[in-house]
Amino acid sequence: MATTSCTVYIGSFVHCRSVTELEIENDGAIGVDKSGVIRFVLRGAGGNAENIKKTLEFKEAFEHGHVEFVIVKKGGWFFPGFIDTHIHASQYPNTGLFGKTTLLDWLNTYTFPLESSFSDLDKARKIYSRAVARTLAHGTTTASYYTTFHVPATNLLADICLAKGQRAFVGRVCMDQLSPEYYRDESIEIGTENSRKCIDYVRSIDPAGEIVQPIITPRFAPSCSKGCLAALGKLQKETDAYCQTHISENKPEIELVQQLFPESGSYANVYEEAGLLNEKMILAHAVHLTPMEKELIVRRKAKVSHCPASNTALTSGCCPVRDLIERGIDVGLGTDVSGGFSPSILEMVRQTVWVSRHLAMTDGDQAKLTHEEALYLATRGGAKVVGMQDKVGGFEVGKHFDAQMIWLGDAEDIEGCDEFAAREGPVDIFGWENEEDRIAKWVYNGDDRNTLAVWVKGRLVHRRKEYDC
Amino acid sequence: MATTSCTVYIGSFVHCRSVTELEIENDGAIGVDKSGVIRFVLRGAGGNAENIKKTLEFKEAFEHGHVEFVIVKKGGWFFPGFIDTHIHASQYPNTGLFGKTTLLDWLNTYTFPLESSFSDLDKARKIYSRAVARTLAHGTTTASYYTTFHVPATNLLADICLAKGQRAFVGRVCMDQLSPEYYRDESIEIGTENSRKCIDYVRSIDPAGEIVQPIITPRFAPSCSKGCLAALGKLQKETDAYCQTHISENKPEIELVQQLFPESGSYANVYEEAGLLNEKMILAHAVHLTPMEKELIVRRKAKVSHCPASNTALTSGCCPVRDLIERGIDVGLGTDVSGGFSPSILEMVRQTVWVSRHLAMTDGDQAKLTHEEALYLATRGGAKVVGMQDKVGGFEVGKHFDAQMIWLGDAEDIEGCDEFAAREGPVDIFGWENEEDRIAKWVYNGDDRNTLAVWVKGRLVHRRKEYDC
């Protein structure tokens, strides 16, 4: 859905210049055409619309007079939209519910009963609508979703994402063993056929795949037979779709895979043997990979979704992210709702920092990740994981404008507050903070209240009341 | 400041029955007299004001007709106010700013320059007002504050807490070495005298110590000479005031203490030798204590403030909380702003769970703490740490009414949302959650938006706009 006019986004913008470094431009202007593509990026733009009108190289639209201006609130900035590379949309109502469980009992206690209820399309609509609205509110402009094994409900999520304008990979969950009898594919053939139906449907509603795309989704090796995985490998070759699954999340799960696939030699090799380990594969977790598995993943160019909140909540372990990055593996962040307790990628940025510090307590300082590095994983890193590095993740000419407007509030508000008042937003600004301080305050104390508006491909897909003030 | 009428708080209430178990009463009524003291707690109260009027044993006030009713919003509950046993009010503007530092360089980079600026009382007023308003908004009804070494600014914080109605321990920071020359007590005598001035002032404005109390505050052993600590030990005996300091936060700090106090044998013994290790001592962090130090702390009945966010952010280590509790040490939670990145004790409840899971990854499952246990530490545990276990931390007759009204929003809201809407609050309720689920969703996804109102000793000290709806 294109916007009706070209738009120039004026004011500060921040994005990742490299894995370790942010670019902070305080006087920027980003020109976006009607199709949502960035046509120019100005630095030192002169600070106001008149100057920009004079200097911009965006002639065509001006000649026709159809240009709108969006000016960031004072002290705020545009930031690339977040990319959630691993989220179970169907588990969204269980966010925060995991008790004392670890992975395998968590699946039976919380997850399978909920997922199996998605035969009810009204329920599915309610849950998926909330999940998409909520993640958009947190600045997630692209999400790679797991659904359930139901075809109609899976297709409904694709409809909802397309209608709300969130980029999404939508994946029907495949499994033919080790899940309850009431919730597994009846046969390999029926499961594969159902996955094909979802692929066809998603491609029918968005033929160019600009907003929604299908993704083949074997839940994880323990719940898929060798035949099931092989059939999905074949399906991937035929359809050239993306694929997502889980790997090496916790130790009992790894032992289970060794028991179930004794001849495969390693967890990664189970996917390799099925033809699924390739550059279109997103592997969630990857906490306990062996060096040989890492080497195989590097060779196959498969991607990793780091899910720090889930790995901590379920006591799975600490993913050695720096090691994966240094080996050349593309890593993005995933909320892993509802193994993860939060639908916010900003919270995952924090959790990435915390997990890296816990890893540093045992493995040494080199394991530590800065919040700049975590922001990279949340944007450009995630873009690589979903194969969209040329399209989203930063503000460059030719990329699509997937962005959020960040605002922390005014320092002046502090003076005028009455006896009871705490600022509406979660961050207190005193007025003496420099740019790096403001970004750190956003990262460590910010939440959805600081994301005033969100755009995908130039379309406004979320706004808060403060956006209009 | 007493309220003008007796009040009955009607509806659900939740508090900790034991370290491991919550009491959830869905049909409660808590009667509070004019002085803020709980006079009755009804269970199965009949659900409405009329029934309660008929059944309550709270005759006196009724005879005079001065009773107000506060009814919790549907689906909400009253919960005891949180107790922050360790927070640096003066560092509040630096919340979220710590970069890549660990403890000792963090002090020099972020902390000392800010703290030393509190000679400016206008600046102090701005910062302290925000810190108190913000922590009240997060449901903190009692806080143990560190200030700076300035007498007037310290006294100002006591004034602000008394005016806003937050229970507080207010402690002038003492140090006579290893801080910058511009920011240390000129001599032991001057430092001790300044601390005495603050004790006298705080006791002059609240002679009964109902809301504000003084607390003697040697920053930590490395920045206090042996003479300084001994003088403060003597001051404590003379004044019978509480005392707070830091202990065994990270390993380089512990080595520094060994170098500075080679004859003391241990970090804990440095405080013991000064006469400071007793039941009125709050020790923050206690991450790396030796078994002998723990035994000494048990014998002296000193208390521990667990600061999980700070210990993770500064890569200090994982405090073995279960071990401390099982030894019989009283443990509460502390935000440790700004070593900690959040002023919210609810966030500390989460962080306590996360740190315990990271400890479990190396030390085994017995290290894990549940969120019920963490809520205990945030309320009753904290009350013991500050010596108020007979006064606050739960809803029992004779205790003071320090409470917050929690509300997650209505399930019905979900249907009516328009295209852009995400719910204003951070939690999505679908309507099928049981009570335990709702509490878990609050703990893991909630924030200050779910704390609609806060009372200290029966006085309304914070409210959100939704409270009046």
Side-chain angles (χ1 to χ4, degrees):
Chain A
M1 200 185 298
T3 53
T4 54
S5 62
C6 300
T7 308
V8 184
Y9 297 86
I10 295 174
S12 299
F13 67 80
V14 178
H15 62 171
C16 298
R17 178 178 279 143
S18 66
V19 180
T20 55
E21 199 185 0
L22 297 174
E23 178 183 5
I24 303 173
E25 169 55 49
N26 283 321
D27 187 20
I30 300 172
V32 176
D33 69 20
K34 291 179 188 182
S35 64
V37 175
I38 297 174
R39 296 280 300 276
F40 63 84
V41 178
L42 298 182
R43 292 162 172 86
N48 64 59
E50 279 310 307
N51 281 352
I52 288 157
K53 279 183 190 171
K54 283 179 199 151
T55 58
L56 57 73
E57 305 146 19
F58 194 41
K59 312 285 187 197
E60 180 198 356
F62 275 94
E63 286 163 12
H64 297 82
H66 299 306
V67 176
E68 290 185 358
F69 293 89
V70 174
I71 301 173
V72 79
K73 288 188 84 142
K74 189 187 152 219
W77 62 90
F78 296 104
F79 195 81
F82 287 135
I83 296 168
D84 188 344
T85 57
H86 184 73
I87 173 168
H88 295 261
S90 52
Q91 296 171 15
Y92 178 64
N94 280 348
T95 309
L97 308 183
F98 52 90
K100 296 152 206 173
T101 57
T102 54
L103 177 62
L104 300 178
D105 54 325
W106 170 81
L107 281 170
N108 288 309
T109 307
Y110 292 101
T111 304
F112 291 143
L114 175 62
E115 286 194 14
S116 64
S117 71
F118 278 64
S119 50
D120 177 347
L121 274 181
D122 283 341
K123 185 174 181 183
R125 182 184 307 278
K126 186 184 285 191
I127 291 170
Y128 286 152
S129 296
R130 294 317 304 163
V132 174
R134 178 66 71 177
T135 53
L136 282 173
H138 283 296
T140 299
T141 49
T142 301
S144 192
Y145 285 119
Y146 286 57
T147 61
T148 63
F149 83 162
H150 307 89
V151 175
T154 297
N155 293 346
L156 177 62
L157 176 59
D159 291 337
I160 290 169
C161 291
L162 189 60
K164 289 186 188 276
Q166 184 179 52
R167 278 185 216 273
F169 290 81
V170 177
R172 191 193 82 90
V173 174
C174 305
M175 56 200 155
D176 68 341
Q177 65 183 28
L178 267 187
S179 58
E181 283 205 20
Y182 61 83
Y183 185 46
R184 64 171 73 157
D185 291 328
E186 282 177 66
S187 69
I188 293 172
E189 293 68 30
I190 291 174
T192 311
E193 202 42 51
N194 283 342
S195 287
R196 190 190 300 274
K197 281 181 191 163
C198 290
I199 293 169
D200 290 346
Y201 180 79
V202 175
R203 287 180 170 171
S204 76
I205 62 171
D206 187 2
E210 282 292 359
I211 300 297
V212 290
Q213 293 186 55
I215 187 162
I216 296 168
T217 306
R219 180 183 283 278
F220 67 154
S223 60
C224 298
S225 67
K226 200 162 178 170
C228 171
L229 291 171
L232 294 174
K234 195 157 159 278
L235 184 65
Q236 193 193 21
K237 280 209 180 44
E238 287 171 29
T239 58
D240 196 31
Y242 258 77
C243 184
Q244 62 186 350
T245 192
H246 301 78
I247 195 166
S248 287
E249 183 172 351
N250 84 4
K251 287 175 181 171
E253 170 215 12
I254 296 167
E255 286 165 21
L256 181 61
V257 171
Q258 283 167 345
Q259 287 165 25
L260 292 168
F261 303 86
E263 72 295 347
S264 293
S266 78
Y267 201 154
N269 214 41
V270 174
Y271 298 131
E272 166 76 357
E273 289 170 347
L276 285 165
L277 213 60
N278 55 54
E279 65 183 354
K280 287 194 164 185
M281 169 57 103
I282 303 169
L283 298 164
H285 302 298
V287 175
H288 303 284
L289 294 173
T290 64
M292 276 184 63
E293 286 179 295
K294 291 175 194 169
E295 285 166 25
L296 177 61
I297 288 168
V298 170
R299 281 202 305 280
R300 295 292 175 260
K301 296 181 182 165
K303 317 300 182 190
V304 165
S305 173
H306 172 46
C307 304
S310 169
N311 295 338
T312 296
L314 299 180
T315 326
S316 300
C318 294
C319 176
V321 174
R322 178 158 323 278
D323 175 45
L324 298 181
I325 293 172
E326 288 183 349
R327 288 169 182 269
I329 298 173
D330 292 324
V331 180
L333 300 186
T335 58
D336 192 27
V337 162
S338 69
F341 54 87
S342 166
S344 158
I345 287 290
L346 188 65
E347 174 70 28
M348 295 312 111
V349 168
R350 291 190 278 266
Q351 292 286 332
T352 295
V353 173
W354 309 149
V355 164
S356 81
R357 276 158 169 69
H358 282 287
L359 202 60
M361 289 177 201
T362 53
D363 291 11
D365 269 0
Q366 79 289 345
K368 278 192 208 179
L369 297 170
T370 65
H371 66 259
E372 291 87 352
E373 289 172 308
L375 287 171
Y376 180 92
L377 299 179
T379 54
R380 294 195 194 270
K384 286 184 181 175
V385 167
V386 297
M388 292 192 196
Q389 64 273 23
D390 296 330
K391 211 179 250 186
V392 298
F395 300 126
E396 286 94 32
V397 171
K399 282 207 169 72
H400 296 186
F401 189 71
D402 282 23
Q404 44 188 326
M405 184 194 285
I406 306 300
W407 188 61
L408 304 181
D410 287 323
E412 294 73 42
D413 293 357
I414 288 175
E415 300 292 351
C417 287
D418 74 9
E419 184 192 359
F420 287 114
R423 288 267 302 287
E424 177 48 41
V427 180
D428 275 313
I429 290 292
F430 288 84
W432 56 69
E433 295 86 353
N434 65 27
E435 295 147 353
E436 286 78 11
D437 291 345
R438 296 173 76 93
I439 291 167
K441 285 193 167 195
W442 171 55
V443 167
Y444 291 111
N445 288 299
D447 64 26
D448 52 300
R449 286 172 280 188
N450 302 114
T451 295
L452 295 200
V454 181
W455 294 265
V456 172
K457 207 163 182 278
R459 175 181 166 194
L460 184 66
V461 292
H462 170 76
R463 64 161 182 256
R464 289 181 55 83
K465 58 184 187 303
E466 296 88 341
Y467 174 67
D468 297 320
C469 291
Chain B
M1 201 185 297
T3 53
T4 54
S5 62
C6 300
T7 308
V8 185
Y9 297 86
I10 295 173
S12 300
F13 67 80
V14 178
H15 63 170
C16 298
R17 179 178 280 143
S18 66
V19 181
T20 55
E21 200 185 0
L22 296 175
E23 177 184 4
I24 304 174
E25 169 55 48
N26 283 323
D27 187 20
I30 300 172
V32 176
D33 69 20
K34 291 179 188 182
S35 65
V37 175
I38 297 174
R39 294 282 299 277
F40 65 84
V41 178
L42 298 182
R43 292 162 173 86
N48 64 59
E50 280 311 307
N51 283 352
I52 287 156
K53 278 183 190 172
K54 283 179 201 150
T55 58
L56 58 73
E57 305 144 19
F58 192 40
K59 313 285 189 197
E60 180 199 357
F62 273 94
E63 285 164 13
H64 297 83
H66 299 307
V67 176
E68 291 185 358
F69 293 89
V70 174
I71 300 173
V72 79
K73 288 189 83 143
K74 188 187 152 217
W77 62 88
F78 296 104
F79 195 81
F82 287 134
I83 297 167
D84 188 343
T85 57
H86 184 73
I87 172 167
H88 295 261
S90 53
Q91 296 171 16
Y92 178 65
N94 280 349
T95 309
L97 307 183
F98 52 90
K100 296 151 205 170
T101 57
T102 54
L103 177 62
L104 300 178
D105 53 326
W106 169 82
L107 281 170
N108 287 310
T109 307
Y110 292 100
T111 304
F112 291 143
L114 175 62
E115 286 194 15
S116 65
S117 72
F118 278 64
S119 50
D120 177 347
L121 274 180
D122 284 340
K123 185 174 181 183
R125 181 183 307 278
K126 187 184 286 189
I127 291 171
Y128 286 152
S129 297
R130 294 317 304 162
V132 174
R134 178 67 71 177
T135 53
L136 281 173
H138 283 296
T140 300
T141 49
T142 301
S144 192
Y145 286 119
Y146 287 56
T147 61
T148 64
F149 84 161
H150 307 90
V151 175
T154 298
N155 293 345
L156 177 62
L157 176 59
D159 291 335
I160 291 169
C161 292
L162 189 60
K164 288 187 188 274
Q166 184 180 54
R167 277 185 218 274
F169 291 80
V170 177
R172 192 192 81 90
V173 174
C174 305
M175 56 200 154
D176 69 340
Q177 65 183 28
L178 269 188
S179 59
E181 282 204 21
Y182 61 82
Y183 185 45
R184 63 171 74 157
D185 292 328
E186 280 178 66
S187 68
I188 293 172
E189 293 68 32
I190 292 174
T192 311
E193 202 42 48
N194 283 343
S195 288
R196 189 189 300 273
K197 281 181 192 164
C198 289
I199 293 169
D200 291 345
Y201 181 79
V202 175
R203 289 182 169 170
S204 76
I205 61 171
D206 186 3
E210 282 293 357
I211 300 298
V212 290
Q213 293 185 54
I215 187 163
I216 296 167
T217 307
R219 178 183 284 278
F220 67 155
S223 59
C224 297
S225 67
K226 200 162 178 171
C228 172
L229 291 171
L232 294 175
K234 194 157 158 278
L235 184 65
Q236 195 194 18
K237 280 207 179 48
E238 286 171 28
T239 58
D240 197 32
Y242 258 76
C243 184
Q244 61 186 350
T245 192
H246 302 77
I247 196 166
S248 287
E249 182 172 352
N250 84 3
K251 289 174 182 171
E253 171 215 12
I254 296 167
E255 286 164 21
L256 181 60
V257 171
Q258 284 167 344
Q259 287 165 26
L260 292 168
F261 302 88
E263 72 294 346
S264 293
S266 78
Y267 201 153
N269 214 41
V270 174
Y271 298 131
E272 165 77 355
E273 288 170 346
L276 285 165
L277 214 59
N278 55 54
E279 63 183 355
K280 289 196 162 184
M281 169 58 104
I282 304 170
L283 298 164
H285 303 299
V287 175
H288 303 284
L289 294 173
T290 64
M292 275 184 64
E293 287 178 296
K294 291 175 194 170
E295 285 166 26
L296 177 61
I297 288 168
V298 170
R299 282 201 304 280
R300 295 291 175 260
K301 298 181 180 161
K303 317 301 182 188
V304 165
S305 173
H306 173 45
C307 304
S310 168
N311 295 338
T312 296
L314 298 179
T315 326
S316 299
C318 294
C319 176
V321 174
R322 177 154 330 272
D323 176 45
L324 299 181
I325 293 172
E326 288 183 348
R327 287 171 182 267
I329 298 173
D330 292 324
V331 180
L333 301 186
T335 58
D336 192 25
V337 163
S338 69
F341 54 87
S342 167
S344 159
I345 287 289
L346 188 65
E347 173 71 27
M348 294 312 110
V349 168
R350 293 191 278 267
Q351 292 285 332
T352 295
V353 173
W354 311 148
V355 164
S356 81
R357 276 156 168 70
H358 282 288
L359 202 59
M361 289 176 200
T362 55
D363 291 11
D365 270 0
Q366 80 289 347
K368 278 192 206 178
L369 297 170
T370 65
H371 66 259
E372 290 87 351
E373 290 172 308
L375 287 171
Y376 179 92
L377 299 180
T379 55
R380 294 194 195 270
K384 286 184 183 176
V385 167
V386 297
M388 291 192 195
Q389 64 273 23
D390 296 329
K391 212 178 249 186
V392 300
F395 301 126
E396 286 94 31
V397 171
K399 282 206 169 71
H400 296 185
F401 189 72
D402 282 25
Q404 44 187 326
M405 184 194 286
I406 306 300
W407 187 62
L408 305 181
D410 288 322
E412 294 73 41
D413 293 357
I414 288 175
E415 301 291 353
C417 286
D418 76 9
E419 183 191 0
F420 286 115
R423 288 267 303 288
E424 177 49 40
V427 179
D428 275 314
I429 290 292
F430 287 84
W432 57 69
E433 295 86 353
N434 65 26
E435 294 147 354
E436 286 78 10
D437 291 345
R438 296 173 77 93
I439 292 167
K441 285 193 166 195
W442 171 55
V443 168
Y444 291 111
N445 288 300
D447 64 26
D448 53 298
R449 285 171 282 187
N450 303 113
T451 295
L452 295 201
V454 181
W455 293 265
V456 172
K457 207 164 180 279
R459 175 183 166 193
L460 184 66
V461 293
H462 170 75
R463 63 160 182 256
R464 289 180 57 83
K465 58 184 185 305
E466 296 88 341
Y467 174 66
D468 298 318
C469 290

